[in-house]
Amino acid sequence: AFADLDLRRTARRGYPEAVYCSGKTPAQVAAIAAAVGQRPDVITLFTRAGAEHADAVRAALPDAHHDPDAALLAWPPALPPPAGGTVLVVAAGTSDLPVAREALLTARYLGREADLIVDVGVAGLHRILGHLPALRAAQAIVVAAGMDGALPSVVAGLVTAPVIAVPTSVGYGAAFNGLAPLLAMLNACAPGVAVVNIDNGYGAGHLAAQITAPR
Amino acid sequence: AFADLDLRRTARRGYPEAVYCSGKTPAQVAAIAAAVGQRPDVITLFTRAGAEHADAVRAALPDAHHDPDAALLAWPPALPPPAGGTVLVVAAGTSDLPVAREALLTARYLGREADLIVDVGVAGLHRILGHLPALRAAQAIVVAAGMDGALPSVVAGLVTAPVIAVPTSVGYGAAFNGLAPLLAMLNACAPGVAVVNIDNGYGAGHLAAQITAPR
Amino acid sequence: AFADLDLRRTARRGYPEAVYCSGKTPAQVAAIAAAVGQRPDVITLFTRAGAEHADAVRAALPDAHHDPDAALLAWPPALPPPAGGTVLVVAAGTSDLPVAREALLTARYLGREADLIVDVGVAGLHRILGHLPALRAAQAIVVAAGMDGALPSVVAGLVTAPVIAVPTSVGYGAAFNGLAPLLAMLNACAPGVAVVNIDNGYGAGHLAAQITAPR
Amino acid sequence: AFADLDLRRTARRGYPEAVYCSGKTPAQVAAIAAAVGQRPDVITLFTRAGAEHADAVRAALPDAHHDPDAALLAWPPALPPPAGGTVLVVAAGTSDLPVAREALLTARYLGREADLIVDVGVAGLHRILGHLPALRAAQAIVVAAGMDGALPSVVAGLVTAPVIAVPTSVGYGAAFNGLAPLLAMLNACAPGVAVVNIDNGYGAGHLAAQITAPR
Amino acid sequence: AFADLDLRRTARRGYPEAVYCSGKTPAQVAAIAAAVGQRPDVITLFTRAGAEHADAVRAALPDAHHDPDAALLAWPPALPPPAGGTVLVVAAGTSDLPVAREALLTARYLGREADLIVDVGVAGLHRILGHLPALRAAQAIVVAAGMDGALPSVVAGLVTAPVIAVPTSVGYGAAFNGLAPLLAMLNACAPGVAVVNIDNGYGAGHLAAQITAPR
Amino acid sequence: AFADLDLRRTARRGYPEAVYCSGKTPAQVAAIAAAVGQRPDVITLFTRAGAEHADAVRAALPDAHHDPDAALLAWPPALPPPAGGTVLVVAAGTSDLPVAREALLTARYLGREADLIVDVGVAGLHRILGHLPALRAAQAIVVAAGMDGALPSVVAGLVTAPVIAVPTSVGYGAAFNGLAPLLAMLNACAPGVAVVNIDNGYGAGHLAAQITAPR
Amino acid sequence: AFADLDLRRTARRGYPEAVYCSGKTPAQVAAIAAAVGQRPDVITLFTRAGAEHADAVRAALPDAHHDPDAALLAWPPALPPPAGGTVLVVAAGTSDLPVAREALLTARYLGREADLIVDVGVAGLHRILGHLPALRAAQAIVVAAGMDGALPSVVAGLVTAPVIAVPTSVGYGAAFNGLAPLLAMLNACAPGVAVVNIDNGYGAGHLAAQITAPR
Amino acid sequence: AFADLDLRRTARRGYPEAVYCSGKTPAQVAAIAAAVGQRPDVITLFTRAGAEHADAVRAALPDAHHDPDAALLAWPPALPPPAGGTVLVVAAGTSDLPVAREALLTARYLGREADLIVDVGVAGLHRILGHLPALRAAQAIVVAAGMDGALPSVVAGLVTAPVIAVPTSVGYGAAFNGLAPLLAMLNACAPGVAVVNIDNGYGAGHLAAQITAPR
Ligand SMILES: Nc1ncnc2c1ncn2[C@@H]1O[C@H](COP(=O)(O)O)[C@@H](O)[C@H]1O
Ligand SMILES: Nc1ncnc2c1ncn2[C@@H]1O[C@H](COP(=O)(O)O)[C@@H](O)[C@H]1O
Ligand SMILES: Nc1ncnc2c1ncn2[C@@H]1O[C@H](COP(=O)(O)O)[C@@H](O)[C@H]1O
Ligand SMILES: Nc1ncnc2c1ncn2[C@@H]1O[C@H](COP(=O)(O)O)[C@@H](O)[C@H]1O
Ligand SMILES: [Mg+2]
Ligand SMILES: [Mg+2]
Ligand SMILES: [Mg+2]
Ligand SMILES: [Mg+2]
Ligand SMILES: [Mg+2]
Ligand SMILES: [Mg+2]
Ligand SMILES: [Mg+2]
Ligand SMILES: [Mg+2]
């Protein structure tokens, strides 16, 4: 009686519920995983899953897909066939990779074709400019960046598609655990930037999947 | 030499530049409006235009459309024929109306069909529930709310389309000029919520237009 | 001489003192527990008790009731016979359970009948709406929620009784350890929301017991 | 179409809606007042009404009761006969009076007997201690205080009834427009303190009326 | 060459330097302690000394006085004969004891007679009122309090001597590691409150010693 | 009935109450001034008095002393004969003068000899060093500074007497209305710095008078 | 006696003192201007001078140079002959112009050759890229930007010279009066960015002059 | 494909890229170190390298220079021959040493002559004044300070060269992990202070090297 899985969510919203593991005990996650095992017709994601959470999921669902970098599990493990527009995920630096991968996998498990570009921060502008064709080919672009959070402004100024900006907690001092890039992204001088919570790769991937949904 | 209008923006991004008036002198806005008058082929928006800014625009562009509530002017004044998906703008309370109208007009001038629903905050839940059909018919929903910023979470949990949440500076005390709804929206417990800056109706309308663009 | 238990509190206020363990050494808690053992006529709560604190209490008071999830001990262990109105405790998500249980047990040890509902966040509105009869039957409702803190506004808009909102530190990033739901709750657009400190289940349960006291 | 009065609120919640004037134009308030005039069966409060708002209300409802100090109007103007428990409103200093009066009038128009004590801050402790009988006779106590926000802790430690603490924006410098007393009240060392938004006398009076409602 | 002890401080200011250990390596503290051993004519305090720092000091100065609760060492260990006025240190709760003891010992090693009263927070006002004679007999009063930080205001309103308020990091949630009592103390409604940094018992004891210095 | 003057304060604390004007209406201040006129035996200060407040005081107390720079009035107007130690007030810059004068006059009206030094900020260190004899002759030093708030640390490192640091709201941008110097002063690297609220010249002068009181 | 001009500054530091007008009365500025008139051998700048301050300066120094946009006056009015390296000042948007001009004029009056580029924000990247030769020719670059503060990172990544970043208060909502660009600039992902206070064009121009000083 | 080293940076900017280790896995750092080993013609710095990062670097580049205090590695290990002006690094206290050493080594590996002075905080002003000749001989001065951050203001007021201020996270309580000195430095009352991020010794050393570059 500690959880009331929103199983009607797929019917109501078109996307399945995800289980946010980080505040739950492994025992609670295990019980939820067992319930999930009764519903192979919907794909369930387990997000922010530490090692113990992952063990609990795989005890109940041994064939679950597990991406430790993204702290994410998915069951059933097979990706759905991609439909709709394509999603491009961009990580400003190597340290933003875990968040970017969470977005990438979420978009793919929600049914989109999705690609990843890494380490193209604005300190070396030629790097992002070298990817202009890929940027302009995507129907939605997720940009994960910490520190100054400048990359989404630059990208949004170059493309037609919406940019989903994910501030990350990468950095130190006056980055204040992601506050600096969060504020920068909210104040992006180029319009067309949608902001989600700090480190929220899941939310970014979900939004990207909605924006690129087949019509 | 105080402005370098980004006239290539429509070619590059598909959407024209907007002139942010609030930090400019009326004389600067007047000069920009004169330059804009040379380019009737693109629609230019003047945002956050106070009374003196509006006078400066209309001196140069007498037939500009002016919506004082939204503090917005547009020239040429005619709306483009709508294309793409439909946008629904929702204002939690009456006081959120100026921001909501800015979003509404921006979406319309960027080529979308757009509608408005007002005063449907969660304190009386039957009000928003009474609009479920309209909510589910839209391809993108803008929700403007101040105070607790609870409405976007509720709406996002009911629909398939992305929700663009605009925190407003409506409220007092611990609303801290929009900080409270901004944080609430960034932490929306329902996925599918894209956040823009406090009171940024222009950015919300722009994003909504991009999301619903014809493919 | 490191503590001066407010033993007159029950006489003065009608409710006994509680011992806040988290800043105390186990040795200090042990000494207090020994003193408490001289007063079986009043029920004493030990709150925010870690494992070592709990061991210290049970060394002196072996039959103390211990709820590790709520980090709470009570002695004497028997619940008083319930009197006054009924209290309903609502947890928005599974992760809010420890705080909700602290409120539940506090209300019960202070002499109220109290019940618990879990995982009814606004992302799936049908869940809380499915509990309307229980919500309307209670004389005081405690709502524990993290992230966007939207649930208390929704509940308060549906009932006559006061809602006691407890923001929790559940969430990450711009939740800022409970700041986001705290601000949301202070700005609840429905009147009738009383806010207590982040994660303060004890304070919420205490207030609920006072509000529902027999007259 | 800029407002959707929650007229079912009295039926649903037992208390009528209040019109929050401060974000509305006088014309909007005038239109709402006209609609209110059709419903003499429910008492409507207009809160945070400046001089122009008040004029707009009285143009439509000439006999409305107006308290300029509390920035509040009520129509119909007659107080309902008091029922339920009694409410005591306490203002720490003279400058807290507007907020305290808003609470006082709200409680009275919602059907309670309510009294007011002013200028009894903790800097001269004998002042509040001189009112102990009145404090102990009330079923709910509203305490409005700015600066250090210390009074609610002191009062709550002396009484059985719940204390509703209203931080005010009285003070300067590190009072940060009410943040200092808000934080102090949320951390009251005495349990039994319910906090509402800074300067929210309306919310405090509403909560007090709910807590003291006839059972 | 990593430290330049301010050995002239006693001559210049009348009080010796203290060594702030927390940012130093044990090896650095050991070297400083060795240098201190050359100057038995001045008393040196080592503040915020963890277990390893304490070991380092005692290796060089085996007879140093060590108070682990206060995280403080002193060498030479003998207290100077007290002179000047008397200092009273008051801790609101048991958890404030480490900070209070740091103040107490600092005042004593700087040459004052000093006493300590613990667990007299405003939640049970009779406790502090029971110490009025001692409060009125002191020439300077240090008050350490966390949570709401209300005690210094109450004490200052009762006495003639200056009150030195030390906010502590005791508490959780919206106490924000001592920010809440810090702001409350800066806004004390009674004049005569001098504030020092959060948890700065050393600074409070130093100020108290200066204020009560023999004239 | 809007004020309860703490007339027993002089008896209890040795210093009279001051009337904080800024949150009061001129009518309220006028009524208080009339009451004050009945008690020529105690000196009453009116602080933070704007032009209308000053007019109200002087209507009732025509011979009141008025210092518009310090926004302060005193009645009866004659300074008491100085007793106790001497107070030195130091203003880092010209813009800190209003706060410094408020401290100066408060100390004088509370019975101390007090002097003022202006425009000796650390940007030109020779200026403060040129006043070393005066600094070392005072029994208490008030230092008012905005911007970086560096002066109190420098002064405290040079003298034996306690330094009372008053952060001022002088500056702009990241001075955040006095937050920057407030934090700097709380973290003064020299011990012996007592901090009061931003712009609180009254509190600084009061503390200085207490510290230098005749023994 | 309200000011102690640091006239030795030119001798000591190589650069004259500037008079910060904003916290001073016009009468104080007038007296300082009169004193300045005795020293035609050093150039004095009056910064943040409103209309009344400017009138006061020109009454004493009729031939002073006045730039109302930059709120700056200089006397004697003639620019010194330029020496050392060249300074380039870049304004991201038109609204950043006042701050940029303050930097430009300060650098020039301190003896540097300095140029200005306006409206080259990253939303249209081709604009700043079109100025690469000028950027690479400068020995120091000042970049003034509000909103997301992204431009300094981009510029620093393209050049060898140091970049002095000036956050401006241009923007609204979560720009928090310049906090957003300030944090972004402190976290610039390209090294070589020196940050000054929000809107501090004077400080930026001064630093640029020092960096490019003749060796 | 997790990193895209900006190897063109030396050509473009004149200074090589540095590898920020703290957000990277040891495996990622190892792979980058292997790539770096192919380019002995440029010096690469590895900053914020913990023990595991250092091991990873030295496995690939056994002769790399490693300074554990500064958490920095450099390869090739030989310092380039110094050119340009000289850099002086000043640490206010012993605890600021790690940050100061990071600045020192960065400046040296970027080709400058650089020296270090430690423990000269303003609490004992004679210490910094005793180094005046060295301060006036440097072409750029880095000042690292925590707590009140007062030292850069004092130093800047004494010299001609630019001062690069690095706030450190040294301190506790209201130092807020470096926020206090950061704000103080941004508001330095002496012009000529360039601020970098909290604890950013690397950025400070880089800026110092740029400012003192051979012309
Ligand atoms: N990583 C995540 N970040 C933000 N929201 C999430 C994440 N994972 C799941 N959620 C949402 O959080 C809600 C509450 O999760 P739960 O506590 O599992 O009921 C779910 O309805 C999800 O849609
Ligand atoms: N109301 C607005 N809010 C946020 N951004 C805006 C707004 N109006 C215009 N903008 C953007 O701000 C950028 C800078 O505007 P400007 O200062 O006019 O060059 C433009 O490129 C617009 O895309
Ligand atoms: N002074 C007030 N402070 C906080 N909430 C209020 C106040 N006055 C009215 N409210 C609530 O705010 C809600 C929205 O008000 P409105 O914008 O008038 O629809 C109403 O449902 C009221 O319950
Ligand atoms: N616990 C403490 N809190 C605040 N300041 C201290 C503390 N202990 C020592 N200090 C002061 O901090 C200064 C710097 O200490 P140090 O780093 O040891 O040179 C010393 O001059 C002391 O006066
Ligand atoms: Mg990289
Ligand atoms: Mg409404
Ligand atoms: Mg759930
Ligand atoms: Mg009073
Ligand atoms: Mg206790
Ligand atoms: Mg000056
Ligand atoms: Mg522009
Ligand atoms: Mg030292």
Side-chain angles (χ1 to χ4, degrees), chain B residues 125 129, chain C residues 120 124-133 135 154 158:
Chain B
L125 208 55
L129 294 179
Chain C
V120 290
L125 208 56
H126 58 285
R127 296 180 298 186
I128 189 70
L129 294 179
H131 290 283
L132 257 185
L135 291 167
V154 167
L158 295 165

Side-chain angles (χ1 to χ4, degrees), chain H:
Chain H
F2 56 81
D4 181 1
L5 267 191
D6 188 4
L7 293 169
R8 280 180 270 178
R9 190 179 292 186
T10 307
R12 196 175 72 244
R13 299 202 53 189
Y15 304 94
E17 183 165 40
V19 180
Y20 171 69
C21 296
S22 97
K24 300 196 173 71
T25 62
Q28 290 171 332
V29 171
I32 293 173
V36 160
Q38 310 303 311
R39 293 291 303 268
D41 55 316
V42 294
I43 294 179
T44 298
L45 300 181
F46 295 83
T47 65
R48 300 202 152 232
E52 287 183 69
H53 294 128
D55 290 348
V57 172
R58 285 181 304 192
L61 307 166
D63 61 335
H65 178 79
H66 183 207
D67 187 304
D69 285 352
L72 189 129
L73 297 104
W75 189 88
L79 286 177
T86 62
V87 173
L88 183 64
V89 179
V90 178
T94 305
S95 313
D96 303 311
L97 204 46
V99 175
R101 283 194 67 77
E102 189 187 17
L104 182 78
L105 289 170
T106 298
R108 285 182 178 162
Y109 273 104
L110 264 50
R112 298 297 164 268
E113 192 177 319
D115 274 303
L116 178 64
I117 297 175
V118 183
D119 204 15
V120 291
V122 303
L125 208 56
H126 59 284
R127 296 180 297 187
I128 189 70
L129 294 180
H131 290 283
L132 257 184
L135 290 167
R136 291 197 167 142
Q139 268 78 52
I141 303 172
V142 172
V143 180
M147 297 181 168
D148 55 19
L151 190 55
S153 291
V154 166
V155 170
L158 296 166
V159 301
T160 292
V163 168
I164 301 161
V166 198
T168 69
S169 53
V170 167
Y172 58 89
F176 293 129
N177 302 313
L179 179 65
L182 170 63
L183 294 184
M185 291 167 180
L186 287 167
N187 288 284
C189 58
V193 176
V195 184
V196 298
N197 194 11
I198 297 165
D199 291 335
N200 188 5
Y202 165 70
H206 195 288
L207 255 182
Q210 288 172 283
I211 290 170
T212 56
R215 289 202 196 140

Side-chain angles (χ1 to χ4, degrees), chain F residues 94 118-119 123 126-127 172 174, chain G residues 2 4 6 8 12 197 200:
Chain F
T94 305
V118 182
D119 204 16
H126 58 284
R127 297 181 295 186
Y172 59 90
Chain G
F2 56 80
D4 180 3
D6 188 4
R8 280 178 272 179
R12 196 175 73 244
N197 194 12
N200 188 5

Side-chain angles (χ1 to χ4, degrees), chain G residues 162-166 185 192-196 207 211, chain H residues 164 194-196 207 211:
Chain G
V163 168
I164 301 161
V166 198
M185 291 167 181
V193 176
V195 184
V196 298
L207 254 180
I211 290 172
Chain H
I164 301 161
V195 184
V196 298
L207 255 182
I211 290 170

Side-chain angles (χ1 to χ4, degrees), chain B residues 119 172, chain C residues 189 191, chain D residues 9 17-20 24 47-48 102 200 202:
Chain B
D119 204 16
Y172 59 89
Chain C
C189 59
Chain D
R9 189 178 290 186
E17 182 162 40
V19 179
Y20 172 69
K24 301 196 173 69
T47 66
R48 300 200 152 232
E102 189 188 18
N200 189 3
Y202 165 70

